[in-house]
């Protein structure tokens, strides 16, 4: 299950019913158990919140309909006149006729003990309707939403060793609606770190027999604390996704995609050296510079020996 | 088989162990302390970090017998420490966790760092926390959370 | 849930924790060939998990106080073999006198592990990635090795003889490291790493300059670091620094035979050895 999904789902429930967030409990184990729940339509492509959110909104609608049905009988008003929000069930035309939502949770009980209605269990499900497989030419509509955004980096290259140091990163993503902006920001910054790992460090290496020769976290290096850039700016844009839950669309993995191209393009722009293979290790970049722009290395060497040293006295 | 006595989160314990048992296994399986995560088993990810007599160690690289006569503190024990509790609240405030698997190790390590030096330089802080890996990449948020919690550790040292 | 498969567990052994050096040495003799010394234990525990070694006895030397001392004498600075990487970075006596060693210690694993990593353990694992050995070699350090039969002293450069192999006999242990300098010299330790400091280095360079004596040690490219001095580098004290550095880095480049592994290839390591050596030389001679 994605890492912001349960929290975001809880926020949706709290907002829809107008109840405090602490009152909402998302059972994460049940959520992913296909013994008791239907299969969530794929937590891939960062669509966990998208799919679960729409299913949840439908379940909330179903639950509200049951509450409205009971309440219309209790309030003695037409069902269309009943509204559930802000923690209350009330009549739209006579707003002073209202009761707390919790009074309808198990059906409504009159003071004399007689009851009307029944326990409320809302159900909702979702599967995308307009998706197609891709045809032979690679065309089709194989996703329910597209998240747009961009990544920019500022970096430093050590021409003599090929080592790249990313100094600054800026990311802008249109997430439709940030249900929890703190989580979205975390996903964006975290996505950048993951992108940085795949762009510069992470590579499984094999020997002639196909055995992995770097099966540990020292040789298969993933980003560590010190790899974080000195500055990162992540901006959220909100153009609602009309069919998304409260206008939201997925963002988790998308952020990672832009990092490697941004780094490769920054290298290209700074040096004119093209790299089309990840990860861009110092060794790989050094070799590429040597093949494509050897004059840069010569220039850097010249600078090192002539500019830096001439003033220095020997002991 | 031998019996060792140690203090775990303030409670004195006597446990019977084998010489070849790792502290990590003893904490998780014999004492049920599950904030200490078992992941790489090679001292590389840092998720099993605990404080042994106040010093952070990776419990997958520590023999249980080495803890004989010492005090072990894990994230569970830090909950009763006023400053550490503020630190944990700061983690929540800054969203310094995604899947949460590395959070106990980061809390334990940053509690040690802030106790040692509440005015730690930013670059030095990154170095201190470099022994724990967060695969979700929450480093920016953890950095903010720890920096923000510095004030609680400073106050205490002044009084 | 319990983990019984190798890799999550250690093979059976008996744990011994002597308080005195003599006791440790007699245990080493008594269980000759069947015992392993544990200081920080990082390499030992991982090798045991991988079942590459299965000693019957593990002798923990962390309880021996005299192995944890650092002192300054007329003959230089003496460092006990169980001094940790954190202590090397934090003790004023090391920071003031041997900054290159303090810097090398800051690369020994990550900061958490540095509380446990010891200098003796770091240099005797015989791995290319060790940081202590190049730093100590550039300072012409001597190692005091003891066994029940007595004591012998070897230059740090004679410790490692191959991948994972040292010249220590199975009843001997390193007790002390003597760095024969305490003042009047400049040193530096540079490392090229593809990522942050905890990753394995491509190349490490340690340089020492004392009056008209110069040493350059290239580490991380082979189990045994490469040692050069002003003679083997054909250093000409009359010529310009720029010419000297250029010449020295060419000599280094043509003498080293780096390994290729998961970290980097041989050709690249050779080239970067030249670059890093030149930078380190420039640094010790004060060129910005």
């Amino acid at each position: 299950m994605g890492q912001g999904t349960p929290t975001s789902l809880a926020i949706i429930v709290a907002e829809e019913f107008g109840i405090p967030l602490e009152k909402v409990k998302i059972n994460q184990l049940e959520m992913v158990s296909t013994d008791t729940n239907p299969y969530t339509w794929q937590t891939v492509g960062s669509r966990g919140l998208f799919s679960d959110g729409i299913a949840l909104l439908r379940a909330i609608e179903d639950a509200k309909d049951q509450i409205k049905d009971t309440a219309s009988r209790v309030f003695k008003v037409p069902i269309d006149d009943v509204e559930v929000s802000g923690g209350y069930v009330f009549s739209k035309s006579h707003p002073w006729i209202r009761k707390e939502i919790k009074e309808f949770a198990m059906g409504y009980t009159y003071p004399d003990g007689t009851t009307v209605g029944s326990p409320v269990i809302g159900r909702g499900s979702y599967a995308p309707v307009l998706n197609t497989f891709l045809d032979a030419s690679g065309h089709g509509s194989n996703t329910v939403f597209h998240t747009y955004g961009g990544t920019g980096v500022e970096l430093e290259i050590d021409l003599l060793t090929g080592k790249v140091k990313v100094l600054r990163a800026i990311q802008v993503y249109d997430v439709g609606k940030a249900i929890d902006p703190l989580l979205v920001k975390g996903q964006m910054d975290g996505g950048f770190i993951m992108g940085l790992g795949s762009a510069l460090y992470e590579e499984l290496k094999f020997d002639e027999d196909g055995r992995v020769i770097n099966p540990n976290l020292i040789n298969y290096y993933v980003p560590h604390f010190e790899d974080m850039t000195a500055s990162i700016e992540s901006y959220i844009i909100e153009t609602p996704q009309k069919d998304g839950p409260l206008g939201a669309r997925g963002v988790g993995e998308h952020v990672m995609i832009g990092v490697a191209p941004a780094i490769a393009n920054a290298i290209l722009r700074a040096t004119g050296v093209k790299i089309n293979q990840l990860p861009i290790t110092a060794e790989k970049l050094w070799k590429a510079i040597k093949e494509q722009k050897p004059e840069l290395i010569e220039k850097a060497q010249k600078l090192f020996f002539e500019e830096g040293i001439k003033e220095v006295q020997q002991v | 088989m031998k019996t060792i006595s140690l203090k775990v989160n303030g409670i004195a314990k006597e446990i019977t162990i084998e010489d070849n048992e790792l502290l990590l296994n003893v904490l998780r399986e014999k004492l049920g302390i599950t904030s200490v995560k078992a992941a790489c088993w090679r001292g590389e990810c840092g998720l099993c970090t605990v404080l042994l007599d106040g010093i952070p160690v990776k419990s997958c690289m520590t023999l249980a017998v080495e803890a004989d006569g010492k005090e072990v503190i894990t994230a569970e024990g830090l909950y009763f420490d006023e400053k550490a509790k503020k630190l944990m609240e700061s983690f929540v405030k800054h969203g310094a966790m995604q899947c949460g698997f590395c959070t106990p190790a980061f809390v334990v390590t940053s509690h040690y760092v802030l106790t040692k030096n509440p005015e730690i330089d930013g670059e030095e802080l990154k170095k201190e926390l470099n022994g724990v890996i967060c695969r979700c990449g929450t480093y920016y948020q953890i950095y903010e959370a720890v920096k923000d919690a510095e004030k609680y550790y400073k106050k205490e040292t002044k009084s | 849930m319990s983990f019984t498969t190798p890799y999550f567990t250690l093979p059976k052994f008996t744990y011994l924790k002597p308080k005195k050096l003599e006791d440790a040495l007699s245990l080493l003799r008594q269980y000759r060939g069947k015992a392993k010394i544990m200081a920080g234990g990082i390499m030992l525990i991982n090798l045991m998990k991988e079942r590459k070694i299965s000693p019957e006895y593990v002798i923990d030397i962390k309880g021996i106080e005299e192995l944890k001392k650092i002192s300054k004498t007329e003959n230089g600075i003496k460092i006990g073999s169980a001094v940790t990487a954190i202590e090397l970075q934090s003790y004023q006596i090391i920071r003031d006198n041997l900054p290159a060693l303090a810097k090398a210690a800051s690369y020994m694993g990550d900061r958490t592990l540095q509380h446990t990593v010891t200098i003796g353990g770091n240099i005797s694992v015989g791995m290319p990635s060790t940081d202590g050995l190049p730093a100590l070699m550039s300072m012409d350090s001597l190692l005091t090795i003891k066994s029940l039969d007595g004591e012998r002293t070897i230059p740090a450069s004679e410790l490692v003889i191959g991948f994972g192999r040292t010249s220590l006999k199975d009843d001997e242990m390193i007790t002390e490291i003597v760095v024969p300098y305490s003042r009047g010299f400049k040193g530096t330790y540079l490392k090229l790493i593809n990522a942050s400091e905890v990753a394995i280095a491509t190349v490490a360079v340690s340089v020492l300059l004392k009056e008209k004596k110069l040493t350059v040690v290239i580490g991380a490219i082979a189990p045994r670091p490469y040692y050069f001095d002003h003679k083997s580098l054909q250093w000409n004290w009359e010529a310009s620094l720029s010419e000297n550095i250029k010449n020295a880095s060419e000599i280094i480049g043509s003498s080293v035979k780096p390994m290729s592994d998961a970290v980097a290839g041989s050709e690249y390591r050779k080239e970067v050895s030249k670059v890093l050596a030149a930078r380190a030389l420039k640094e010790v001679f004060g060129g910005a």
Side-chain angles (χ1 to χ4, degrees):
Chain A
M1 194 50 56
Q3 311 189 326
T5 311
T7 313
S8 299
L9 293 179
I11 291 174
I12 291 177
V13 174
E15 276 187 13
E16 286 296 308
F17 284 107
I19 55 174
L21 188 55
E22 308 85 79
K23 294 273 181 201
V24 184
K25 192 176 172 213
I26 303 283
N27 189 334
Q28 289 194 53
L29 285 177
E30 286 288 309
M31 249 174 97
V32 292
S33 165
T34 46
D35 283 349
T36 51
N37 269 359
Y39 173 58
T40 293
W41 185 74
Q42 297 182 336
T43 58
V44 296
S46 296
R47 53 183 71 150
L49 175 62
F50 189 89
S51 316
D52 297 351
I54 293 174
L56 178 68
L57 282 170
R58 289 176 181 171
I60 290 170
E61 215 41 57
D62 182 27
K64 280 187 175 177
D65 284 347
Q66 295 166 34
I67 294 171
K68 284 177 187 171
D69 179 54
T70 310
S72 78
R73 283 185 267 165
V74 174
F75 296 163
K76 298 189 170 54
V77 296
I79 191 163
D80 294 344
D81 189 40
V82 182
E83 182 61 36
V84 185
S85 79
Y88 288 94
V89 184
F90 57 93
S91 154
K92 280 187 275 189
S93 57
H94 306 84
W96 55 88
I97 304 179
R98 63 169 200 176
K99 288 187 185 299
E100 280 187 66
I101 289 177
K102 67 179 178 193
E103 291 192 58
F104 294 92
M106 302 296 291
Y108 183 77
T109 308
Y110 287 104
D112 68 354
T114 54
T115 58
V116 55
S118 54
V120 177
I121 301 169
R123 288 160 51 103
S125 58
Y126 169 78
V129 280
L130 293 171
N131 276 17
T132 62
F133 292 122
L134 298 183
D135 64 22
S137 67
H139 289 84
S141 166
N142 69 332
T143 186
V144 277
F145 60 82
H146 292 88
T147 302
Y148 294 91
T151 303
V153 295
E154 211 175 280
L155 52 78
E156 218 173 58
I157 304 163
D158 181 345
L159 289 170
L160 294 178
T161 65
K163 185 171 172 171
V164 171
K165 187 172 168 61
V166 180
L167 306 170
R168 184 172 172 225
I170 296 187
Q171 321 184 87
V172 184
Y173 276 83
D174 187 343
V175 303
K177 158 91 183 151
I179 291 177
D180 184 340
L182 187 70
L183 279 180
V184 176
K185 178 85 168 45
Q187 292 271 301
M188 288 177 75
D189 291 1
F192 176 79
I193 289 286
M194 286 194 199
L196 192 70
S198 66
L200 298 180
Y201 311 136
E202 294 171 38
E203 182 178 23
L204 276 180
K205 296 183 181 177
F206 303 91
D207 68 7
E208 292 142 6
D209 302 324
R211 278 185 297 254
V212 177
I213 58 167
N214 55 347
N216 55 57
L217 292 167
I218 287 293
N219 285 318
Y220 181 94
Y221 183 88
V222 303
H224 281 56
F225 221 104
E226 279 197 294
D227 294 302
M228 62 187 262
T229 50
S231 99
I232 189 163
E233 294 158 59
S234 296
Y235 299 103
I236 297 167
I237 293 180
E238 295 183 310
T239 312
Q241 173 82 18
K242 279 182 187 151
D243 53 353
L246 308 183
R249 59 176 79 86
V251 68
E253 291 150 293
H254 303 80
V255 186
M256 198 186 149
I257 300 167
V259 183
I263 289 174
N265 282 340
I267 292 170
L268 175 66
R269 202 162 163 212
T271 61
V273 173
K274 266 189 194 163
I275 289 229
N276 296 320
Q277 203 187 25
L278 297 179
I280 309 169
T281 59
E283 182 174 11
K284 209 178 272 173
L285 180 55
W286 176 79
K287 279 189 179 146
I289 298 172
K290 214 174 106 179
E291 275 162 25
Q292 299 175 27
K293 297 267 170 181
E295 65 271 21
L296 283 177
I297 295 182
E298 280 160 32
K299 206 174 144 193
Q301 273 169 345
K302 212 174 154 210
L303 209 71
F304 175 84
F305 282 113
E306 287 171 12
E307 303 292 312
I309 294 184
K310 64 183 173 199
E311 308 288 322
V312 181
Q313 288 281 312
Q314 287 201 46
V315 188
Chain B
M1 284 293 214
K2 75 173 60 156
T3 303
I4 57 166
S5 40
L6 70 167
K7 228 172 160 188
V8 181
N9 293 331
I11 300 164
K13 303 258 182 193
E14 290 215 338
I15 316 160
T16 306
I17 55 148
E18 299 279 355
D19 279 356
N20 66 346
E21 275 186 88
L22 294 167
L23 182 59
L24 171 59
N25 287 3
V26 169
L27 288 174
R28 282 184 65 86
E29 288 163 33
K30 295 200 167 156
L31 298 173
I33 296 177
T34 49
S35 80
V36 185
K37 302 297 179 201
C40 79
W41 295 89
R42 293 178 54 88
E44 289 160 2
C45 73
L47 301 190
C48 64
T49 306
V50 299
L51 298 180
L52 188 62
D53 273 357
I55 303 290
V57 297
K58 298 188 176 179
S59 59
C60 75
M61 302 302 291
T62 309
L63 301 178
V65 60
E66 288 181 71
D68 192 10
K70 297 191 173 174
E71 173 161 28
V72 178
I73 305 245
T74 68
E76 284 92 343
L78 289 180
Y79 188 75
F80 301 100
D81 181 301
E82 278 307 310
K83 288 177 283 180
K85 206 173 162 188
K86 293 273 189 207
L87 173 66
M88 292 181 202
E89 284 164 13
S90 182
F91 267 66
V92 174
K93 182 180 147 199
H94 289 272
M97 66 207 66
Q98 284 184 33
C99 77
F101 202 69
C102 68
T103 315
F106 269 114
V107 167
V108 165
T109 314
S110 44
H111 171 72
Y112 162 80
V113 174
L114 290 181
T115 309
K116 197 177 63 168
N117 180 9
E119 282 165 16
I120 190 160
D121 164 73
E123 289 308 306
E124 189 60 19
L125 174 63
K126 290 181 196 170
K127 210 168 268 188
E128 289 281 359
L129 297 178
N130 219 8
V132 190
I133 295 176
C134 170
R135 194 44 166 149
C136 308
T138 330
Y139 299 130
Y140 298 99
Q141 281 72 22
I142 295 171
Y143 181 86
E144 290 302 320
V146 177
K147 275 276 161 203
D148 194 19
E150 278 181 356
K151 51 182 183 267
Y152 307 114
Y153 286 78
K154 273 181 208 162
K155 223 190 239 168
E156 198 70 16
T157 42
K158 271 176 199 162
S159 64
Chain C
M1 183 168 51
S2 80
F3 299 102
T4 48
T5 42
Y7 198 75
F8 300 123
T9 59
L10 297 173
K12 281 224 176 303
F13 58 79
T14 304
Y15 174 85
L16 304 163
K17 192 173 183 182
K19 288 247 177 340
K20 289 199 183 106
L21 183 58
E22 301 82 69
D23 297 346
L25 294 175
S26 52
L27 286 169
L28 262 182
R29 172 63 57 88
Q30 189 184 343
Y31 302 122
R32 196 171 184 161
K34 298 180 201 161
K36 283 278 176 195
I37 297 172
M38 177 167 114
I42 311 297
M43 187 56 77
L44 181 73
I45 286 179
N46 274 343
L47 287 175
M48 287 200 287
K49 280 180 193 159
E50 292 166 9
R51 299 296 189 272
K52 286 192 177 139
I53 52 170
S54 297
E56 287 173 41
Y57 300 90
V58 167
I59 305 172
D60 185 349
I61 57 167
K62 284 195 293 291
I64 303 172
E65 282 306 318
E66 60 180 294
L67 297 179
K68 296 187 195 166
K69 286 186 187 138
I70 297 183
S71 60
K72 196 173 171 181
T73 66
E74 281 173 17
N75 301 329
I77 291 171
K78 291 185 169 179
I79 303 163
S81 59
V83 167
T84 66
I86 280 283
E87 288 163 346
L88 288 177
Q89 292 168 74
S90 49
Y91 283 8
Q92 206 63 37
I93 181 171
I94 302 288
R95 279 161 58 150
D96 289 352
N97 298 292
L98 309 172
L101 181 60
K103 197 167 169 203
S106 77
Y107 289 114
M108 294 174 185
D110 59 60
R111 191 53 72 88
T112 313
L113 286 180
Q114 284 169 13
H115 290 284
T116 15
V117 170
T118 63
I119 181 73
N122 182 266
I123 60 176
S124 55
V125 294
M127 288 297 183
S129 51
T130 167
D131 289 286
L133 201 52
L136 290 176
M137 274 170 68
S138 73
M139 295 184 281
D140 293 320
S141 310
L142 301 169
L143 307 177
T144 309
I145 296 170
K146 279 188 184 163
S147 74
L148 266 194
D149 299 334
E151 163 181 331
R152 65 185 177 109
T153 302
I154 61 164
S157 54
E158 286 174 18
L159 178 66
V160 172
I161 53 172
F163 207 93
R165 291 190 301 130
T166 63
S167 58
L168 290 176
K169 296 196 194 83
D170 51 14
D171 63 343
E172 285 183 327
M173 64 187 276
I174 303 170
T175 56
E176 201 170 57
I177 293 132
V178 183
V179 185
Y181 308 109
S182 56
R183 60 177 67 239
F185 69 92
K186 281 180 168 175
T188 190
Y189 188 80
L190 296 186
K191 219 172 161 179
L192 182 81
I193 314 168
N194 188 38
S196 83
E197 288 179 4
V198 298
I200 306 267
T202 311
V203 170
V205 175
S206 189
V207 173
L208 176 117
L209 171 68
K210 184 180 162 69
E211 286 150 19
K212 291 216 165 170
K213 183 182 180 338
L214 180 69
T215 57
V216 177
V217 177
I218 311 286
I221 58 172
R224 192 173 179 173
Y226 285 86
Y227 180 92
F228 301 91
D229 61 8
H230 51 276
K231 283 181 223 126
S232 59
L233 292 175
Q234 297 169 17
W235 199 267
N236 177 359
W237 299 98
E238 312 304 321
S240 80
L241 181 59
S242 170
E243 226 166 88
N244 266 322
I245 294 184
K246 210 180 268 181
N247 191 36
S249 79
E250 286 307 322
I251 291 175
I252 289 168
S254 57
S255 340
V256 295
K257 290 179 185 61
M259 57 182 189
S260 285
D261 63 5
V263 178
S266 176
E267 184 207 353
Y268 176 65
R269 278 194 152 117
K270 188 180 274 245
E271 200 54 40
V272 174
S273 301
K274 289 162 65 178
V275 174
L276 240 64
R279 285 181 182 165
L281 284 166
K282 193 169 160 182
E283 193 188 316
V284 294
F285 280 101

